[in-house]
Amino acid sequence: MSTIAIQPRTSRMISPVTILIYLILLGALIFTLIPIVFMFSASMMPSKDILKMPFRWIPRGFHWQNFAKAVAGNDGSYIFIRNFMNSMIVSGIVTLTTVILSAITGYGLAKFRFKGRNFVFLAIMATMMIPFEAIMIPLYMVATKFHLQNSYGGLTLPFLVNAFGVFMMRQYLLPFPDEFLDATRIDGAGELGIFWYVVLPNCAPAIATLSILTFRSQWDNLLWPLLIAQSEKMKTLPLYIVKFSAEKYTNEGAMMAVAVLASIPMLILFFTMSKYFVSGSAVFNSRKG
Amino acid sequence: MMKKALLVSLLIMSLALPLFASGAQEATGPVTITFWTHEDPNRTALEDRYIAEFQAANPDVTIERVTNSSKKMPELLLTAFAANEGPHIFNTQIEDGYAYIANGRVAPVNLGAAGFKSVKDLKASYVDGVLDAVSEDNNVYGLPLELTNWAPYLNKQIFRDAGLDPEKDYPKTWEDMVAVSQKIVSREGEIITRRGFDFRYPYYLVSMVPMVEQLGGKLVSDDGKTAIVGDEAWLKFLQFMADWGPNGLNLGSPTYKNGRKLFNSNNNDMGMAMSGLYQAGRIRADNPDFYNSGDWMVIPFPQFEDAVEDVASAYYGHFYMVNSQKADREQKVAWEFITYMLSHSEEYLTEVGLIQPTKALMSSETFANIPYADVFAADMAKGNIVYYAENSAKIQELIKEAVEGVMLSGIAPEKALASLKVKAQEVLDQE
């Protein structure tokens, strides 16, 4: 049994550069957190207090009516619950398919040699250069021709896989040892079996990172659901939030309360998967084993 | 082998698409009318009831009313119409809606369905001129859901605190507005904590172009060929705004919170704010104590002392329009439903604070009994419809640039005007 010798810590002078870096980071942290703190704080205040200058960061009490209004909605229909579920379903479906399809495609592009492999990869990458607004109208036309308005199909189909996901998974799998795959083939495993039982479990950090990024982008997606979901029952949370901004009047308190409620799933997702997410930063690092 | 598998997969996927699909409307039989409008809780309650009543009277008709944020409506409508999938009925501000008329995307009012013998009869039922914005080739292409003009709402308590008598000392001129605001304004250092009045900065066409018109200037010449007419008027207006702003008398600024939003709270931070008749309903909803206190009033849109024209705030409007791409029968039903809704103009006024300027409503007792409705009506008679054209949003952006330039960046009014003239002319020439 070996013992580990613990080195006594030596006190070191913190350099001015380090202090400066920490100060910059602290500034960036405050800058990032202010809107979030404002959202939480304002969600607990009556609208009258939200508009008061200077802004009182600590609410005088908990104005629960904001949350009641947020859940009940302008018309008291409680459609919030359905819209919340829609967001969960749409984000969940898109995340699942993006991860699986991106992993399969990324694996194919990283580990299989075939004619035109680089062209296929570049063609997929080229789609990242096209802004969504440019394809929005033709996409809407296709969706309406297939009568996909007000359906989960319409909400999810355009996003089932994305180029960034393919790129990310390919980059992650490039350094994966070929010898390991060959050994598994010699043992008699089929290609799908290799992918499912060997490759996928080794991609956990990349999958977690891609999941968070995809889920978040769908959770926040406003433009496509705005076009395709015209039924109140099929709307998603971003559409529900903007309804509190009526033409002549904005209910800031209720709007902030909905924003708080809408943030909860993202916060849970981020904090439960953050350790993988951090590891995911190594996705683009070479890690030849 | 792989290719075949891929093709089969794609075929299965495309065949499976209808499984995700929602049902399409039948071409015959019962008719479904889609109706896109903007979010307004009070109006929603009203129109949901009208839908129920109309459907009960017309069992083969289903009205699907969809609300969206007003900020998103223009984008939504553009996309839907580009894909030939626009709704049967929609409403939008005339500045956005005019393009649909110009491009033939909306149908003229079905006179039979709307209960009129002729276009002349239809126009005669409304206040003179209010349908001009939706009239082309002796047809009318929309009916007003609302026409709104603005006037200053005044907090009497703040006036009294400043030693002013609101009934006597309210500002009649823009010069008065400066003097009164100087008495009311409070500051912490250079930061204003209480404003006497402030403008509705994003809406330059509605509330500021009339100020220029008072001085004899124009946004566009009568023949529509020249932008920014009357240098002297524009210079005086820009100088007034420069003096108003933080580099001048520091009475207000576009950087502060919208005054209309602060007014209802009665937090001793907004003496006067510019808004429409609908604001009274919002005060009642937001702050019933303030509403019932009688500590607020509405005053006429001020004039410049040396005004050459008696002009009040412009009025802007939302018009209900009908998609011309829909079948004739559906268009007719759509107009019947719009007519049914608009037959309740008194209810729109009392419940939502929207003015549908029919002669019948404007002369009704209901209108006369709405607090300060007379002020808005008198001002509306002195105002013009807001500038509407395909370029109106761009023109408004250029005025914003000029006003914010003189107010916030210290740009000389002459320089701001020169730049505004050149850019606005370029925009106009592109039409």
Side-chain angles (χ1 to χ4, degrees), chain A residues 48 51 74 136 140-141 146-147 149 151 157 222 226 230 235 243 245-249, chain B residues 17 20-22 24 39 66-67 71 76 83 146 257 260-262 265 267 278 282 286 318:
Chain A
K48 187 176 170 177
L51 298 175
N74 281 328
M136 184 171 76
Y140 182 73
M141 288 168 82
F146 280 111
H147 301 300
Q149 308 100 305
S151 68
L157 272 173
L222 172 67
L226 173 77
Q230 287 302 313
K235 287 184 176 178
K243 285 179 72 173
S245 177
E247 199 205 12
K248 296 179 173 69
Y249 174 71
Chain B
L17 280 176
F20 291 99
S22 55
E39 185 68 16
V66 177
T67 58
K71 293 184 185 79
L76 179 61
E146 60 161 310
K257 184 83 187 170
R260 171 182 60 95
K261 291 191 172 185
L262 298 176
S265 301
N267 276 336
Y278 57 82
R282 296 270 38 115
D286 289 353
H318 272 264

mmCIF file of all heavy atoms in Angstrom, chain A residues 48 51 74 136 140-141 146-147 149 151 157 222 226 230 235 243 245-249, chain B residues 17 20-22 24 39 66-67 71 76 83 146 257 260-262 265 267 278 282 286 318:
data_model
loop_
_atom_site.group_PDB
_atom_site.id
_atom_site.type_symbol
_atom_site.label_atom_id
_atom_site.label_comp_id
_atom_site.label_asym_id
_atom_site.label_seq_id
_atom_site.Cartn_x
_atom_site.Cartn_y
_atom_site.Cartn_z
ATOM 1 N N LYS A 48 -45.792 48.571 -10.339
ATOM 2 C CA LYS A 48 -45.539 49.941 -9.874
ATOM 3 C C LYS A 48 -44.108 50.079 -9.347
ATOM 4 O O LYS A 48 -43.437 51.076 -9.597
ATOM 5 C CB LYS A 48 -46.555 50.239 -8.769
ATOM 6 C CG LYS A 48 -46.569 51.651 -8.262
ATOM 7 C CD LYS A 48 -47.683 51.810 -7.237
ATOM 8 C CE LYS A 48 -47.550 53.159 -6.544
ATOM 9 N NZ LYS A 48 -48.628 53.394 -5.591
ATOM 10 N N LEU A 51 -41.109 49.788 -12.048
ATOM 11 C CA LEU A 51 -40.835 50.982 -12.850
ATOM 12 C C LEU A 51 -40.214 52.109 -12.032
ATOM 13 O O LEU A 51 -39.868 53.149 -12.562
ATOM 14 C CB LEU A 51 -42.130 51.477 -13.503
ATOM 15 C CG LEU A 51 -42.793 50.486 -14.471
ATOM 16 C CD1 LEU A 51 -44.117 51.023 -14.949
ATOM 17 C CD2 LEU A 51 -41.889 50.210 -15.656
ATOM 18 N N ASN A 74 -53.512 35.950 -19.364
ATOM 19 C CA ASN A 74 -54.353 37.141 -19.473
ATOM 20 C C ASN A 74 -55.840 36.793 -19.430
ATOM 21 O O ASN A 74 -56.659 37.578 -18.980
ATOM 22 C CB ASN A 74 -54.060 37.866 -20.800
ATOM 23 C CG ASN A 74 -52.785 38.684 -20.708
ATOM 24 O OD1 ASN A 74 -52.444 39.199 -19.641
ATOM 25 N ND2 ASN A 74 -52.064 38.777 -21.808
ATOM 26 N N MET A 136 -36.700 30.757 -44.019
ATOM 27 C CA MET A 136 -37.937 30.748 -43.239
ATOM 28 C C MET A 136 -39.184 30.628 -44.137
ATOM 29 O O MET A 136 -40.060 29.797 -43.887
ATOM 30 C CB MET A 136 -37.981 32.051 -42.445
ATOM 31 C CG MET A 136 -39.108 32.214 -41.502
ATOM 32 S SD MET A 136 -38.808 33.683 -40.498
ATOM 33 C CE MET A 136 -39.202 34.999 -41.648
ATOM 34 N N TYR A 140 -41.637 27.500 -44.426
ATOM 35 C CA TYR A 140 -43.036 27.686 -44.020
ATOM 36 C C TYR A 140 -43.972 27.170 -45.117
ATOM 37 O O TYR A 140 -44.997 26.537 -44.836
ATOM 38 C CB TYR A 140 -43.285 29.166 -43.732
ATOM 39 C CG TYR A 140 -44.680 29.490 -43.253
ATOM 40 C CD1 TYR A 140 -45.080 29.156 -41.965
ATOM 41 C CD2 TYR A 140 -45.594 30.122 -44.080
ATOM 42 C CE1 TYR A 140 -46.356 29.457 -41.512
ATOM 43 C CE2 TYR A 140 -46.870 30.428 -43.644
ATOM 44 C CZ TYR A 140 -47.248 30.093 -42.359
ATOM 45 O OH TYR A 140 -48.514 30.390 -41.920
ATOM 46 N N MET A 141 -43.593 27.437 -46.376
ATOM 47 C CA MET A 141 -44.419 26.968 -47.495
ATOM 48 C C MET A 141 -44.489 25.441 -47.509
ATOM 49 O O MET A 141 -45.564 24.854 -47.686
ATOM 50 C CB MET A 141 -43.854 27.477 -48.825
ATOM 51 C CG MET A 141 -44.066 28.958 -49.039
ATOM 52 S SD MET A 141 -43.134 29.624 -50.410
ATOM 53 C CE MET A 141 -44.175 29.187 -51.781
ATOM 54 N N PHE A 146 -47.671 20.474 -46.388
ATOM 55 C CA PHE A 146 -47.861 19.186 -45.709
ATOM 56 C C PHE A 146 -48.866 19.290 -44.558
ATOM 57 O O PHE A 146 -49.029 18.343 -43.803
ATOM 58 C CB PHE A 146 -46.522 18.661 -45.168
ATOM 59 C CG PHE A 146 -45.661 17.990 -46.204
ATOM 60 C CD1 PHE A 146 -44.477 18.572 -46.625
ATOM 61 C CD2 PHE A 146 -46.047 16.780 -46.766
ATOM 62 C CE1 PHE A 146 -43.681 17.954 -47.578
ATOM 63 C CE2 PHE A 146 -45.250 16.156 -47.718
ATOM 64 C CZ PHE A 146 -44.067 16.746 -48.138
ATOM 65 N N HIS A 147 -49.493 20.440 -44.415
ATOM 66 C CA HIS A 147 -50.474 20.689 -43.345
ATOM 67 C C HIS A 147 -49.866 20.409 -41.970
ATOM 68 O O HIS A 147 -50.458 19.716 -41.144
ATOM 69 C CB HIS A 147 -51.728 19.829 -43.544
ATOM 70 C CG HIS A 147 -52.397 20.085 -44.850
ATOM 71 N ND1 HIS A 147 -52.893 21.315 -45.208
ATOM 72 C CD2 HIS A 147 -52.633 19.272 -45.908
ATOM 73 C CE1 HIS A 147 -53.404 21.262 -46.431
ATOM 74 N NE2 HIS A 147 -53.251 20.041 -46.874
ATOM 75 N N GLN A 149 -49.049 22.829 -39.839
ATOM 76 C CA GLN A 149 -49.293 23.878 -38.851
ATOM 77 C C GLN A 149 -49.946 23.259 -37.615
ATOM 78 O O GLN A 149 -50.689 22.283 -37.727
ATOM 79 C CB GLN A 149 -50.243 24.965 -39.385
ATOM 80 C CG GLN A 149 -49.861 25.566 -40.710
ATOM 81 C CD GLN A 149 -50.648 24.953 -41.832
ATOM 82 O OE1 GLN A 149 -50.657 23.741 -41.999
ATOM 83 N NE2 GLN A 149 -51.287 25.791 -42.627
ATOM 84 N N SER A 151 -48.870 21.475 -35.222
ATOM 85 C CA SER A 151 -48.584 20.075 -34.898
ATOM 86 C C SER A 151 -47.156 19.978 -34.365
ATOM 87 O O SER A 151 -46.306 20.829 -34.658
ATOM 88 C CB SER A 151 -48.739 19.194 -36.135
ATOM 89 O OG SER A 151 -47.722 19.493 -37.077
ATOM 90 N N LEU A 157 -39.805 19.200 -36.988
ATOM 91 C CA LEU A 157 -39.143 18.659 -38.187
ATOM 92 C C LEU A 157 -37.954 19.481 -38.694
ATOM 93 O O LEU A 157 -36.921 18.908 -39.024
ATOM 94 C CB LEU A 157 -40.155 18.457 -39.319
ATOM 95 C CG LEU A 157 -40.854 17.090 -39.307
ATOM 96 C CD1 LEU A 157 -41.957 17.055 -40.345
ATOM 97 C CD2 LEU A 157 -39.867 15.965 -39.568
ATOM 98 N N LEU A 222 -38.262 31.366 -30.783
ATOM 99 C CA LEU A 222 -39.495 32.153 -30.882
ATOM 100 C C LEU A 222 -40.026 32.202 -32.318
ATOM 101 O O LEU A 222 -41.221 32.044 -32.554
ATOM 102 C CB LEU A 222 -39.250 33.577 -30.374
ATOM 103 C CG LEU A 222 -40.384 34.584 -30.572
ATOM 104 C CD1 LEU A 222 -41.591 34.228 -29.725
ATOM 105 C CD2 LEU A 222 -39.925 35.989 -30.238
ATOM 106 N N LEU A 226 -43.672 30.869 -33.741
ATOM 107 C CA LEU A 226 -44.552 32.010 -34.034
ATOM 108 C C LEU A 226 -45.269 31.799 -35.369
ATOM 109 O O LEU A 226 -46.452 32.105 -35.508
ATOM 110 C CB LEU A 226 -43.718 33.300 -34.086
ATOM 111 C CG LEU A 226 -44.426 34.574 -34.534
ATOM 112 C CD1 LEU A 226 -45.280 35.119 -33.409
ATOM 113 C CD2 LEU A 226 -43.427 35.624 -34.983
ATOM 114 N N GLN A 230 -50.276 28.445 -34.622
ATOM 115 C CA GLN A 230 -51.275 29.502 -34.530
ATOM 116 C C GLN A 230 -52.400 29.143 -33.556
ATOM 117 O O GLN A 230 -53.245 29.969 -33.263
ATOM 118 C CB GLN A 230 -51.856 29.802 -35.912
ATOM 119 C CG GLN A 230 -50.883 30.559 -36.797
ATOM 120 C CD GLN A 230 -50.443 31.870 -36.185
ATOM 121 O OE1 GLN A 230 -51.246 32.648 -35.704
ATOM 122 N NE2 GLN A 230 -49.142 32.108 -36.144
ATOM 123 N N LYS A 235 -48.916 26.505 -28.903
ATOM 124 C CA LYS A 235 -47.858 27.502 -28.732
ATOM 125 C C LYS A 235 -46.849 27.041 -27.683
ATOM 126 O O LYS A 235 -47.167 26.221 -26.824
ATOM 127 C CB LYS A 235 -48.454 28.851 -28.353
ATOM 128 C CG LYS A 235 -49.137 29.512 -29.542
ATOM 129 C CD LYS A 235 -49.662 30.891 -29.231
ATOM 130 C CE LYS A 235 -50.242 31.521 -30.494
ATOM 131 N NZ LYS A 235 -50.800 32.831 -30.263
ATOM 132 N N LYS A 243 -46.934 37.391 -25.007
ATOM 133 C CA LYS A 243 -48.333 37.804 -24.930
ATOM 134 C C LYS A 243 -48.590 38.791 -23.790
ATOM 135 O O LYS A 243 -49.600 39.482 -23.776
ATOM 136 C CB LYS A 243 -49.242 36.578 -24.765
ATOM 137 C CG LYS A 243 -49.395 35.799 -26.062
ATOM 138 C CD LYS A 243 -50.257 34.589 -25.886
ATOM 139 C CE LYS A 243 -51.705 34.989 -25.721
ATOM 140 N NZ LYS A 243 -52.588 33.807 -25.706
ATOM 141 N N SER A 245 -46.868 41.294 -23.357
ATOM 142 C CA SER A 245 -46.554 42.612 -23.894
ATOM 143 C C SER A 245 -47.628 42.959 -24.917
ATOM 144 O O SER A 245 -47.468 42.722 -26.103
ATOM 145 C CB SER A 245 -45.176 42.574 -24.558
ATOM 146 O OG SER A 245 -44.901 43.818 -25.126
ATOM 147 N N ALA A 246 -48.748 43.467 -24.418
ATOM 148 C CA ALA A 246 -49.837 43.857 -25.315
ATOM 149 C C ALA A 246 -49.456 45.166 -25.994
ATOM 150 O O ALA A 246 -48.464 45.795 -25.625
ATOM 151 C CB ALA A 246 -51.134 44.014 -24.526
ATOM 152 N N GLU A 247 -50.251 45.573 -26.987
ATOM 153 C CA GLU A 247 -49.827 46.724 -27.786
ATOM 154 C C GLU A 247 -49.711 48.000 -26.963
ATOM 155 O O GLU A 247 -48.784 48.774 -27.134
ATOM 156 C CB GLU A 247 -50.803 46.946 -28.932
ATOM 157 C CG GLU A 247 -50.159 47.785 -30.012
ATOM 158 C CD GLU A 247 -51.142 48.533 -30.857
ATOM 159 O OE1 GLU A 247 -52.330 48.612 -30.500
ATOM 160 O OE2 GLU A 247 -50.719 49.052 -31.863
ATOM 161 N N LYS A 248 -50.641 48.204 -26.070
ATOM 162 C CA LYS A 248 -50.644 49.470 -25.342
ATOM 163 C C LYS A 248 -50.259 49.307 -23.885
ATOM 164 O O LYS A 248 -50.317 50.251 -23.111
ATOM 165 C CB LYS A 248 -52.037 50.109 -25.441
ATOM 166 C CG LYS A 248 -52.404 50.476 -26.864
ATOM 167 C CD LYS A 248 -53.774 51.081 -26.924
ATOM 168 C CE LYS A 248 -54.061 51.605 -28.309
ATOM 169 N NZ LYS A 248 -54.221 50.561 -29.299
ATOM 170 N N TYR A 249 -49.914 48.096 -23.515
ATOM 171 C CA TYR A 249 -49.693 47.860 -22.094
ATOM 172 C C TYR A 249 -48.846 46.603 -21.903
ATOM 173 O O TYR A 249 -49.088 45.594 -22.547
ATOM 174 C CB TYR A 249 -51.051 47.675 -21.407
ATOM 175 C CG TYR A 249 -50.966 47.282 -19.957
ATOM 176 C CD1 TYR A 249 -50.531 48.187 -19.006
ATOM 177 C CD2 TYR A 249 -51.325 45.998 -19.548
ATOM 178 C CE1 TYR A 249 -50.462 47.820 -17.675
ATOM 179 C CE2 TYR A 249 -51.259 45.631 -18.228
ATOM 180 C CZ TYR A 249 -50.833 46.553 -17.288
ATOM 181 O OH TYR A 249 -50.762 46.182 -15.983
ATOM 182 N N LEU B 17 -45.129 11.959 -42.964
ATOM 183 C CA LEU B 17 -45.376 13.362 -42.604
ATOM 184 C C LEU B 17 -46.826 13.654 -42.256
ATOM 185 O O LEU B 17 -47.111 14.325 -41.271
ATOM 186 C CB LEU B 17 -44.913 14.292 -43.736
ATOM 187 C CG LEU B 17 -43.422 14.577 -43.779
ATOM 188 C CD1 LEU B 17 -43.090 15.423 -44.992
ATOM 189 C CD2 LEU B 17 -42.965 15.291 -42.517
ATOM 190 N N PHE B 20 -48.072 13.497 -38.740
ATOM 191 C CA PHE B 20 -47.839 14.628 -37.834
ATOM 192 C C PHE B 20 -48.822 15.757 -38.107
ATOM 193 O O PHE B 20 -48.895 16.718 -37.376
ATOM 194 C CB PHE B 20 -46.433 15.214 -38.061
ATOM 195 C CG PHE B 20 -45.320 14.310 -37.632
ATOM 196 C CD1 PHE B 20 -44.638 13.529 -38.553
ATOM 197 C CD2 PHE B 20 -44.936 14.256 -36.309
ATOM 198 C CE1 PHE B 20 -43.594 12.724 -38.161
ATOM 199 C CE2 PHE B 20 -43.885 13.449 -35.912
ATOM 200 C CZ PHE B 20 -43.218 12.682 -36.837
ATOM 201 N N ALA B 21 -49.504 15.672 -39.207
ATOM 202 C CA ALA B 21 -50.204 16.853 -39.708
ATOM 203 C C ALA B 21 -51.509 17.132 -38.998
ATOM 204 O O ALA B 21 -52.152 16.247 -38.470
ATOM 205 C CB ALA B 21 -50.489 16.680 -41.199
ATOM 206 N N SER B 22 -51.842 18.428 -39.007
ATOM 207 C CA SER B 22 -53.163 18.815 -38.534
ATOM 208 C C SER B 22 -54.068 18.864 -39.762
ATOM 209 O O SER B 22 -53.599 18.975 -40.883
ATOM 210 C CB SER B 22 -53.091 20.185 -37.879
ATOM 211 O OG SER B 22 -52.534 21.104 -38.772
ATOM 212 N N ALA B 24 -56.545 19.845 -42.824
ATOM 213 C CA ALA B 24 -56.705 20.990 -43.715
ATOM 214 C C ALA B 24 -58.185 21.315 -43.839
ATOM 215 O O ALA B 24 -59.031 20.467 -43.615
ATOM 216 C CB ALA B 24 -56.146 20.633 -45.082
ATOM 217 N N GLU B 39 -52.383 40.955 -29.253
ATOM 218 C CA GLU B 39 -52.791 40.691 -27.871
ATOM 219 C C GLU B 39 -53.356 41.953 -27.219
ATOM 220 O O GLU B 39 -52.760 43.027 -27.279
ATOM 221 C CB GLU B 39 -51.565 40.208 -27.085
ATOM 222 C CG GLU B 39 -51.830 39.788 -25.669
ATOM 223 C CD GLU B 39 -52.669 38.520 -25.554
ATOM 224 O OE1 GLU B 39 -52.800 37.795 -26.548
ATOM 225 O OE2 GLU B 39 -53.182 38.275 -24.463
ATOM 226 N N VAL B 66 -56.698 34.144 -33.416
ATOM 227 C CA VAL B 66 -55.333 33.890 -32.937
ATOM 228 C C VAL B 66 -54.712 35.214 -32.523
ATOM 229 O O VAL B 66 -54.752 36.180 -33.286
ATOM 230 C CB VAL B 66 -54.473 33.262 -34.063
ATOM 231 C CG1 VAL B 66 -53.046 33.062 -33.598
ATOM 232 C CG2 VAL B 66 -55.074 31.951 -34.520
ATOM 233 N N THR B 67 -54.174 35.254 -31.318
ATOM 234 C CA THR B 67 -53.515 36.492 -30.892
ATOM 235 C C THR B 67 -52.004 36.300 -30.858
ATOM 236 O O THR B 67 -51.515 35.231 -30.529
ATOM 237 C CB THR B 67 -53.981 36.927 -29.485
ATOM 238 O OG1 THR B 67 -53.702 35.873 -28.568
ATOM 239 C CG2 THR B 67 -55.450 37.257 -29.455
ATOM 240 N N LYS B 71 -45.785 43.349 -31.647
ATOM 241 C CA LYS B 71 -44.437 43.564 -32.189
ATOM 242 C C LYS B 71 -44.089 42.499 -33.225
ATOM 243 O O LYS B 71 -43.269 42.721 -34.104
ATOM 244 C CB LYS B 71 -43.408 43.544 -31.054
ATOM 245 C CG LYS B 71 -43.533 44.704 -30.095
ATOM 246 C CD LYS B 71 -42.417 44.666 -29.055
ATOM 247 C CE LYS B 71 -42.614 45.751 -28.019
ATOM 248 N NZ LYS B 71 -43.629 45.386 -27.011
ATOM 249 N N LEU B 76 -44.900 38.142 -38.859
ATOM 250 C CA LEU B 76 -45.748 36.960 -39.032
ATOM 251 C C LEU B 76 -46.593 37.096 -40.300
ATOM 252 O O LEU B 76 -46.688 36.169 -41.114
ATOM 253 C CB LEU B 76 -46.635 36.820 -37.792
ATOM 254 C CG LEU B 76 -47.619 35.669 -37.739
ATOM 255 C CD1 LEU B 76 -46.904 34.337 -37.807
ATOM 256 C CD2 LEU B 76 -48.433 35.730 -36.457
ATOM 257 N N ALA B 83 -45.887 33.193 -48.289
ATOM 258 C CA ALA B 83 -46.123 31.771 -48.555
ATOM 259 C C ALA B 83 -47.552 31.518 -49.025
ATOM 260 O O ALA B 83 -47.973 30.362 -49.128
ATOM 261 C CB ALA B 83 -45.834 30.967 -47.292
ATOM 262 N N GLU B 146 -59.581 50.736 -34.671
ATOM 263 C CA GLU B 146 -59.367 51.895 -33.794
ATOM 264 C C GLU B 146 -58.621 52.981 -34.543
ATOM 265 O O GLU B 146 -57.787 52.704 -35.394
ATOM 266 C CB GLU B 146 -58.549 51.510 -32.560
ATOM 267 C CG GLU B 146 -57.172 50.965 -32.871
ATOM 268 C CD GLU B 146 -56.219 51.006 -31.697
ATOM 269 O OE1 GLU B 146 -56.088 52.068 -31.047
ATOM 270 O OE2 GLU B 146 -55.579 49.985 -31.440
ATOM 271 N N LYS B 257 -37.138 56.116 -18.899
ATOM 272 C CA LYS B 257 -38.283 55.211 -19.015
ATOM 273 C C LYS B 257 -39.462 55.943 -19.655
ATOM 274 O O LYS B 257 -39.706 57.110 -19.353
ATOM 275 C CB LYS B 257 -38.667 54.733 -17.603
ATOM 276 C CG LYS B 257 -39.769 53.708 -17.561
ATOM 277 C CD LYS B 257 -39.238 52.318 -17.816
ATOM 278 C CE LYS B 257 -40.356 51.307 -17.932
ATOM 279 N NZ LYS B 257 -39.903 50.009 -18.413
ATOM 280 N N ARG B 260 -45.374 57.313 -20.258
ATOM 281 C CA ARG B 260 -46.731 56.763 -20.206
ATOM 282 C C ARG B 260 -46.801 55.610 -19.203
ATOM 283 O O ARG B 260 -47.803 55.418 -18.529
ATOM 284 C CB ARG B 260 -47.096 56.271 -21.609
ATOM 285 C CG ARG B 260 -48.363 55.487 -21.729
ATOM 286 C CD ARG B 260 -48.551 55.045 -23.168
ATOM 287 N NE ARG B 260 -47.462 54.199 -23.632
ATOM 288 C CZ ARG B 260 -47.495 52.865 -23.612
ATOM 289 N NH1 ARG B 260 -48.527 52.245 -23.126
ATOM 290 N NH2 ARG B 260 -46.479 52.162 -24.079
ATOM 291 N N LYS B 261 -45.718 54.847 -19.134
ATOM 292 C CA LYS B 261 -45.724 53.697 -18.227
ATOM 293 C C LYS B 261 -45.616 54.138 -16.771
ATOM 294 O O LYS B 261 -46.127 53.482 -15.878
ATOM 295 C CB LYS B 261 -44.565 52.753 -18.571
ATOM 296 C CG LYS B 261 -44.762 52.052 -19.896
ATOM 297 C CD LYS B 261 -43.764 50.943 -20.077
ATOM 298 C CE LYS B 261 -44.101 50.130 -21.319
ATOM 299 N NZ LYS B 261 -43.234 48.964 -21.475
ATOM 300 N N LEU B 262 -44.911 55.239 -16.546
ATOM 301 C CA LEU B 262 -44.725 55.714 -15.170
ATOM 302 C C LEU B 262 -45.968 56.424 -14.650
ATOM 303 O O LEU B 262 -46.233 56.423 -13.450
ATOM 304 C CB LEU B 262 -43.536 56.682 -15.109
ATOM 305 C CG LEU B 262 -42.173 56.108 -15.498
ATOM 306 C CD1 LEU B 262 -41.125 57.220 -15.486
ATOM 307 C CD2 LEU B 262 -41.751 54.998 -14.546
ATOM 308 N N SER B 265 -48.608 54.770 -12.237
ATOM 309 C CA SER B 265 -48.178 54.382 -10.890
ATOM 310 C C SER B 265 -48.325 55.513 -9.887
ATOM 311 O O SER B 265 -48.375 55.286 -8.682
ATOM 312 C CB SER B 265 -46.723 53.914 -10.912
ATOM 313 O OG SER B 265 -46.597 52.829 -11.793
ATOM 314 N N ASN B 267 -46.182 57.656 -8.868
ATOM 315 C CA ASN B 267 -45.038 57.549 -7.954
ATOM 316 C C ASN B 267 -44.314 58.883 -7.773
ATOM 317 O O ASN B 267 -43.145 58.894 -7.377
ATOM 318 C CB ASN B 267 -44.030 56.517 -8.491
ATOM 319 C CG ASN B 267 -44.405 55.100 -8.097
ATOM 320 O OD1 ASN B 267 -45.095 54.893 -7.111
ATOM 321 N ND2 ASN B 267 -43.957 54.123 -8.869
ATOM 322 N N TYR B 278 -57.261 55.338 -24.515
ATOM 323 C CA TYR B 278 -57.174 54.023 -23.869
ATOM 324 C C TYR B 278 -56.425 54.072 -22.542
ATOM 325 O O TYR B 278 -56.573 53.192 -21.701
ATOM 326 C CB TYR B 278 -56.482 53.015 -24.799
ATOM 327 C CG TYR B 278 -55.098 53.457 -25.227
ATOM 328 C CD1 TYR B 278 -53.988 53.253 -24.409
ATOM 329 C CD2 TYR B 278 -54.902 54.089 -26.447
ATOM 330 C CE1 TYR B 278 -52.733 53.686 -24.786
ATOM 331 C CE2 TYR B 278 -53.645 54.528 -26.840
ATOM 332 C CZ TYR B 278 -52.563 54.313 -26.001
ATOM 333 O OH TYR B 278 -51.326 54.738 -26.369
ATOM 334 N N ARG B 282 -56.328 51.947 -18.629
ATOM 335 C CA ARG B 282 -55.110 51.349 -18.048
ATOM 336 C C ARG B 282 -54.864 51.902 -16.644
ATOM 337 O O ARG B 282 -54.436 51.181 -15.753
ATOM 338 C CB ARG B 282 -53.904 51.606 -18.944
ATOM 339 C CG ARG B 282 -53.994 50.954 -20.286
ATOM 340 C CD ARG B 282 -53.406 49.551 -20.320
ATOM 341 N NE ARG B 282 -53.636 48.722 -19.154
ATOM 342 C CZ ARG B 282 -54.352 47.617 -19.142
ATOM 343 N NH1 ARG B 282 -54.965 47.229 -20.225
ATOM 344 N NH2 ARG B 282 -54.457 46.888 -18.056
ATOM 345 N N ASP B 286 -54.550 49.564 -13.465
ATOM 346 C CA ASP B 286 -53.269 49.527 -12.746
ATOM 347 C C ASP B 286 -53.356 50.133 -11.358
ATOM 348 O O ASP B 286 -52.705 49.686 -10.426
ATOM 349 C CB ASP B 286 -52.196 50.331 -13.516
ATOM 350 C CG ASP B 286 -51.770 49.622 -14.775
ATOM 351 O OD1 ASP B 286 -52.199 48.473 -14.979
ATOM 352 O OD2 ASP B 286 -51.022 50.231 -15.562
ATOM 353 N N HIS B 318 -55.538 51.089 -36.561
ATOM 354 C CA HIS B 318 -55.523 49.677 -36.928
ATOM 355 C C HIS B 318 -56.764 49.434 -37.763
ATOM 356 O O HIS B 318 -57.865 49.823 -37.368
ATOM 357 C CB HIS B 318 -55.602 48.794 -35.675
ATOM 358 C CG HIS B 318 -54.264 48.500 -35.089
ATOM 359 N ND1 HIS B 318 -53.578 47.344 -35.382
ATOM 360 C CD2 HIS B 318 -53.480 49.188 -34.232
ATOM 361 C CE1 HIS B 318 -52.430 47.340 -34.718
ATOM 362 N NE2 HIS B 318 -52.341 48.448 -34.019
#
